[in-house]
Amino acid sequence: MTRTLDSAVLLTREGVGHGSYGINSCVNKAVDAALLHGTRPADGTVCKTDTPATTRPLVPAKR
């Protein structure tokens, strides 16, 4: 995609699962900066996971 859009940059989040915005502080900051201020992250930026990766579903604690 970055090769077909002149203004595109690649932002990668390491981890499992679908979606990144709202679950990763690094991605949140990069997307907010791009949308609110027009500041794009450096091409090839890699966001590390905030929490240990797991493929197990999130199960709410019993009350």
Side-chain angles (χ1 to χ4, degrees):
M1 183 62 81
T2 57
R3 285 180 264 167
T4 60
L5 299 172
D6 291 337
S7 63
V9 295
L10 177 64
L11 174 66
T12 302
R13 175 189 59 93
E14 292 183 347
V16 298
H18 298 282
S20 298
Y21 188 78
I23 62 167
N24 182 277
S25 60
C26 173
V27 172
N28 293 350
K29 289 176 189 174
V31 172
D32 288 348
L35 294 176
L36 298 174
H37 307 292
T39 306
R40 291 176 287 176
D43 191 31
T45 298
V46 176
C47 289
K48 303 292 184 188
T49 182
D50 284 345
T51 56
T54 179
T55 57
R56 289 177 287 189
L58 178 63
V59 178
K62 293 184 179 181
R63 295 179 186 204

